[in-house]
Amino acid sequence: MNQQDPSKFFDQEKAAGYDQRWAGMAPINDAQHLLLKAVLSPLGPIARVLCVGAGTGAELLALAAAFPEWTFTVVEPAPGMMAVCRQRAEAAGITSRCTFHEGYLDSLQPSQPFDAATSILVSHFLVDREKRKRYFAEIAQRLRPGGLLVNADLAANMQSPEYERLVQHWVSLHSLVGLETKTDHLGREVALLSNKEMQQLLIDSGLTRPTLYFQTLLIRTWVSEVAA
Ligand SMILES: C[S@@+](CC[C@H](N)C(=O)[O-])C[C@H]1O[C@@H](n2cnc3c(N)ncnc32)[C@H](O)[C@@H]1O
């Protein structure tokens, strides 16, 4: 399965079953979204947010419910995922606050700078460092000075003595919630960066003050900003 082509990897069938498939991970996603809301809450009652790789809309729906006047630009290249996202946005009554862009960032029309961006469980699919840097740089370029990026990705220091143990716990977690998982793709089809490497990547992409604030086994979440 080609994880580098989201429209193939997240095809219609996967998209239709995505939320059900990952339902067992809801407590982790809930914690992820609670912290996302906390980290972005200083933006105040009015904000424009860019949601990149929004999938079926998990972080979009969480933010839209918590901040009723925020508006969102939703970027998602896989048509099946975008279709589910649109349906959920309609059901939540938030479409008037959303602009949907089916595609990648490079084809998104220029607009007023955003106050914040989210990239939740997306960038690890970009295994090539230069492509990943370009991805974060494209996000950074669309943020206002002082604008925030929250990114959550699979990550680990594969050379560290704890790595094997973390992977064992990762497998146990999947098995506990009834999901099969493989491990041979880690570090090959999805990039795994150490904290130091991720920090440097974010800085090289034009962001400052990268701060790791949440870790659940192989998922690490950072907030960084564009220099004011
Ligand atoms: C694992 S899903 C996560 C979806 C959602 N953010 C969540 O947390 O549930 C990753 C999503 O990123 C999208 N994606 C993959 N590569 C991307 C890229 N280069 N730019 C934007 N989105 C991408 C995929 O199509 C997929 O919907």
Side-chain angles (χ1 to χ4, degrees):
M1 184 70 70
N2 180 6
Q3 305 210 9
Q4 305 308 311
D5 181 347
S7 59
K8 290 212 178 81
F9 188 66
F10 295 98
D11 61 14
Q12 299 283 348
E13 194 187 329
K14 270 231 178 98
Y18 185 85
D19 293 323
Q20 186 58 37
R21 176 172 157 77
W22 293 103
M25 298 289 191
I28 292 177
N29 290 330
D30 287 348
Q32 179 77 268
H33 296 153
L34 174 65
L35 291 169
L36 174 64
K37 289 183 268 188
V39 165
L40 296 187
S41 62
L43 294 175
I46 312 263
R48 299 179 66 251
V49 179
L50 176 64
C51 293
V52 188
T56 59
E59 59 272 21
L60 165 70
L61 292 174
L63 289 174
F67 302 104
E69 291 178 69
W70 286 14
T71 57
F72 302 90
T73 294
V74 181
V75 175
E76 172 52 54
M81 298 294 267
M82 185 59 118
V84 177
C85 183
R86 278 180 190 272
Q87 284 161 15
R88 293 180 80 199
E90 267 161 38
I94 59 163
T95 47
S96 61
R97 295 194 276 141
C98 299
T99 301
F100 295 97
H101 174 68
E102 192 175 297
Y104 293 91
L105 271 175
D106 59 2
S107 56
L108 179 68
Q109 289 293 316
S111 69
Q112 243 185 290
F114 292 94
D115 300 295
T118 62
S119 169
I120 308 296
L121 300 174
V122 182
S123 90
H124 50 239
F125 291 116
L126 299 168
V127 179
D128 179 84
R129 192 183 190 277
E130 276 310 302
K131 286 191 182 151
R132 203 171 184 186
K133 188 175 123 187
R134 208 173 314 133
Y135 170 82
F136 283 130
E138 280 182 332
I139 295 177
Q141 281 156 17
R142 291 176 183 270
L143 291 172
R144 66 164 165 78
L148 301 173
L149 165 65
V150 172
N151 67 288
D153 299 293
L154 297 188
N157 180 351
M158 296 180 81
Q159 265 70 54
S160 76
E162 301 85 36
Y163 177 67
E164 288 306 325
R165 180 171 281 191
L166 271 179
V167 172
Q168 280 168 16
H169 295 330
W170 183 250
V171 172
S172 301
L173 170 66
H174 282 74
S175 142
L176 189 69
V177 300
L179 289 170
E180 276 178 28
T181 192
K182 52 178 192 164
T183 55
D184 59 345
H185 69 308
L186 294 171
R188 289 194 305 112
E189 293 166 45
V190 296
L192 293 185
L193 298 189
S194 68
N195 292 346
K196 218 171 157 185
E197 288 167 328
M198 179 53 99
Q199 201 165 30
Q200 194 58 52
L201 176 64
L202 291 166
I203 289 169
D204 291 349
S205 307
L207 292 146
T208 61
R209 302 209 305 165
T211 305
L212 174 66
Y213 69 82
F214 186 46
Q215 175 176 350
T216 42
L217 300 177
L218 296 185
I219 302 173
R220 294 183 193 179
T221 310
W222 295 75
V223 61
S224 50
E225 64 192 64
V226 170

